[in-house]
Amino acid sequence: MNHSIARLFRHRLPAVLALVTLLSVAGTTAPVPAVAAGPDEPRTESVLMRRSGGLTGLVEHFTVDRTITNRYAADVLTTTASRRFRALRSAYLPADPCCDRFTYTVVVRYSDNTVKTVTTVENTAGTPQVLLDVIQSTLLAGQTESRAQPA
């Protein structure tokens, strides 16, 4: 009987150990934000995004702050606190702003009382991915107000 148990462990133990190792690593490894702010950098307190234009001329306002607890809000707050976001220019605009595209203006308020504003137009070549990520996550985090622009 002991010989059978020894043979079982000898053949199965490496596979069991490999499985346990993989499961323990998968269960404890959390994704690390690629754009996290440093410890001495201000944190994001709130983000207000205005989306305007499009075919209907709609104006929408989206707000994300520390009271919103969904994962998209967490992404917005983390990404806007990053050095990559804070290094953005104030505008990424196309040479020709025509053709019913949305304009996005992102206003970020930081814990050190500074404010950063960045504006872009939909499908503008050269718009940094970090700004596009903030726009997408802010849209998913929650809408606060919509209204049609006056004619």
Side-chain angles (χ1 to χ4, degrees):
M1 182 104 158
N2 287 340
H3 181 64
S4 299
I5 293 173
R7 193 174 71 190
L8 178 67
F9 276 105
R10 186 174 54 235
H11 294 291
R12 305 270 186 216
L13 189 58
V16 170
L17 289 176
L19 181 61
V20 168
T21 301
L22 285 173
L23 290 174
S24 67
V25 170
T28 60
T29 304
V32 177
V35 293
D40 296 334
E41 297 171 356
R43 70 180 193 165
T44 299
E45 295 298 326
S46 65
V47 176
L48 172 64
M49 185 176 74
R50 180 180 189 263
R51 177 170 71 174
S52 60
L55 292 171
T56 62
L58 190 65
V59 175
E60 298 171 291
H61 294 94
F62 300 81
T63 303
V64 176
D65 60 25
R66 299 206 159 273
T67 64
I68 300 173
T69 58
N70 65 51
R71 75 178 176 111
Y72 301 111
D75 289 345
V76 170
L77 297 173
T78 301
T79 304
T80 54
S82 73
R83 288 181 185 176
R84 283 180 29 211
F85 184 85
R86 289 183 293 116
L88 293 176
R89 298 189 321 246
S90 62
Y92 296 88
L93 303 174
D96 181 9
C98 83
C99 307
D100 297 321
R101 294 186 283 174
F102 284 113
T103 298
Y104 296 92
T105 300
V106 179
V107 180
V108 182
R109 295 189 186 285
Y110 295 101
S111 59
D112 64 356
N113 295 319
T114 59
V115 176
K116 178 162 190 71
T117 303
V118 183
T119 301
T120 192
V121 174
E122 183 178 32
N123 298 322
T124 296
T127 301
Q129 188 62 46
V130 68
L131 178 56
L132 298 174
D133 292 345
V134 166
I135 290 168
Q136 183 63 34
S137 292
T138 303
L139 289 171
L140 295 169
Q143 178 180 329
T144 59
E145 181 183 335
S146 299
R147 63 175 184 250
Q149 282 185 321

